[in-house]
Amino acid sequence: MKLIIQIPCYNEEETLAETLHDLPRKVEGFDRVEWLIVDDGCTDRTVEVARANGVDHIVRQPVNRGLAKAFLKGLESSVSYGADVIVNTDADNQYNAKGIHELVKPIVGGQADIVVGARPISEIEEFSPIKKLLQKLGSSVVRKFSNTNVTDAPSGFRAFSREAARMLNVFSEYTYTLETLIQAGQSGLSIINVPVRVNSKTRESRLVKNIFSYVNRSIATLFRIYVIYKPMRFFLTIGTILNVIGGLIGLRFLYYFITEGEAGKIQSLILAAILIGSGIQMFVVGVISDLLSVNRRLLQQNQLRLKYIEEKLTSESKINTRK
């Protein structure tokens, strides 16, 4: 079995060597352990540092496409290089690499498809009280959306089986952490946590510029993911609310019409008609969105089949070349 440890990189020359120095070359259950970095349009010496420190695979993107795209590129490349299990970690050496041994055990043992390294959030001194609270709150929301028990949803220290890596897609351009969990949970993949340790901070986070920006982007990401994976529930909820409010306003008009016998309160009738009409439109949009969601799942299944075919052709081509 082969394990590939991947690291998405964007201008990481100052911290990458330290990160690579801590990575293992031998892990129980694997015949080979290889390292892969994704050069996400680096403009510094990241690639040179990677080569000098023995990285096996360097996948290059000509321009910076963001962490989410670099992560997905790493998964695709790791699968193409024959990985049975893939571990993703950060280039800033945030996560203690000794946790890799624990991350991969549940996958090797057939107990999980994805394993998330859960950090001791309450014990991390660099995290402010408000950040700790938001981390826990965000994780609780993701647990609800994904039907999983993940305790540290923003953690990027994760292990993936080959099958899980094939199935995942990332639509967000900001981060992959929340979306992949919800997608995996909705796809029926088995996800568990294992506790991991963290190292001292080496640099400021590039994703979290400030708490306000992080919260805004996270909420927008969760909202978008919810609409993508639960469109019927989302639009039916809005439609129901609009219809209930419109119905109550309509009853108000009828009450005054019956009790006062006048044609007053016509504004209530107009508003009720607008709200009820909008509610019905939300129902229609929900049905259409649900049909599109079914089509998206079918396309993902076709995409998965194409990946299997491509891998088989590549494998046969390598065998023929050796002959």
Side-chain angles (χ1 to χ4, degrees):
M1 287 185 56
K2 179 189 288 189
L3 168 66
I4 292 185
I5 305 170
Q6 70 168 43
I7 308 176
C9 294
Y10 178 62
N11 293 345
E12 304 286 2
E13 65 174 348
E14 295 181 1
T15 58
L16 183 59
E18 182 180 2
T19 302
L20 293 171
H21 179 268
D22 291 342
L23 294 184
R25 277 297 188 181
K26 293 184 179 180
V27 177
E28 185 179 353
F30 296 93
D31 304 311
R32 292 181 58 84
V33 178
E34 297 177 355
W35 302 344
L36 177 148
I37 73 159
V38 180
D39 167 16
D40 190 26
C42 294
T43 56
D44 65 354
R45 297 182 59 258
T46 295
V47 172
E48 287 81 352
V49 172
R51 286 180 177 144
N53 285 272
V55 169
D56 302 279
H57 310 287
I58 298 175
V59 180
R60 310 194 73 166
Q61 298 190 141
V63 296
N64 178 244
R65 300 179 63 196
L67 177 59
K69 301 301 182 185
F71 162 79
L72 189 61
K73 184 70 173 179
L75 288 188
E76 293 172 348
S77 301
S78 295
V79 170
S80 70
Y81 286 125
D84 296 290
V85 179
I86 303 157
V87 167
N88 182 83
T89 190
D90 288 353
D92 62 358
N93 204 34
Q94 173 188 174
Y95 305 104
N96 191 314
K98 293 179 180 178
I100 290 175
H101 298 271
E102 298 302 319
L103 274 180
V104 300
K105 280 183 181 179
I107 297 178
V108 174
Q111 301 166 338
D113 299 300
I114 299 174
V115 181
V116 179
R119 298 165 293 179
I121 299 297
S122 301
E123 302 174 18
I124 300 178
E125 296 179 359
E126 290 86 357
F127 285 7
S128 65
I130 185 65
K131 185 173 182 180
K132 292 178 181 178
L133 176 63
L134 291 172
Q135 291 272 22
K136 293 178 180 178
L137 180 61
S139 294
S140 67
V141 173
V142 172
R143 283 197 296 274
K144 181 176 178 61
F145 282 6
S146 62
N147 297 320
T148 66
N149 63 348
V150 175
T151 57
D152 186 10
S155 172
F157 196 30
R158 304 179 177 188
F160 303 85
S161 69
R162 183 181 181 86
E163 296 303 314
R166 283 191 182 116
M167 294 177 64
L168 294 177
N169 286 295
V170 180
F171 302 108
S172 170
E173 296 181 357
Y174 177 55
T175 180
Y176 60 88
T177 55
L178 307 182
E179 182 174 350
T180 50
L181 285 178
I182 295 174
Q183 183 184 144
Q186 295 296 331
S187 300
L189 294 175
S190 174
I191 309 171
I192 66 172
N193 305 278
V194 296
V196 297
R197 308 301 300 177
V198 295
N199 299 316
S200 299
K201 185 169 69 172
T202 56
R203 62 166 171 77
E204 295 297 328
S205 171
R206 292 174 180 171
L207 279 181
V208 185
K209 303 298 183 183
N210 56 68
I211 293 296
F212 182 75
S213 171
Y214 177 73
V215 170
N216 277 349
R217 289 196 172 197
S218 296
I219 290 175
T221 299
L222 286 172
F223 175 80
R224 184 184 182 192
I225 294 169
Y226 189 72
V227 174
I228 290 174
Y229 291 100
K230 294 288 185 181
M232 178 69 85
R233 182 180 298 180
F234 176 78
F235 288 108
L236 285 185
T237 300
I238 295 177
T240 300
I241 293 172
L242 291 174
N243 277 315
V244 169
I245 295 174
L248 292 174
I249 294 174
L251 290 174
R252 177 179 182 273
F253 168 79
L254 287 175
Y255 171 79
Y256 283 107
F257 182 78
I258 293 171
T259 57
E260 297 181 4
E262 298 178 359
K265 312 297 182 184
I266 193 68
Q267 298 91 339
S268 296
L269 181 61
I270 295 172
L271 180 57
I274 292 174
L275 290 173
I276 292 173
S278 298
I280 293 172
Q281 286 182 335
M282 289 295 103
F283 291 157
V284 173
V285 171
V287 172
I288 295 173
S289 298
D290 191 59
L291 293 174
L292 291 174
S293 179
V294 172
N295 186 59
R296 174 183 54 78
R297 289 194 292 270
L298 291 173
L299 289 174
Q300 286 181 337
Q301 291 175 7
N302 288 334
Q303 181 187 45
L304 189 58
R305 292 191 186 97
L306 286 174
K307 287 180 179 179
Y308 279 118
I309 294 172
E310 288 175 356
E311 289 174 23
K312 184 177 180 180
L313 291 174
T314 301
S315 177
E316 291 176 351
S317 176
K318 290 179 179 178
I319 292 173
N320 291 332
T321 300
R322 289 169 187 165
K323 290 179 179 180

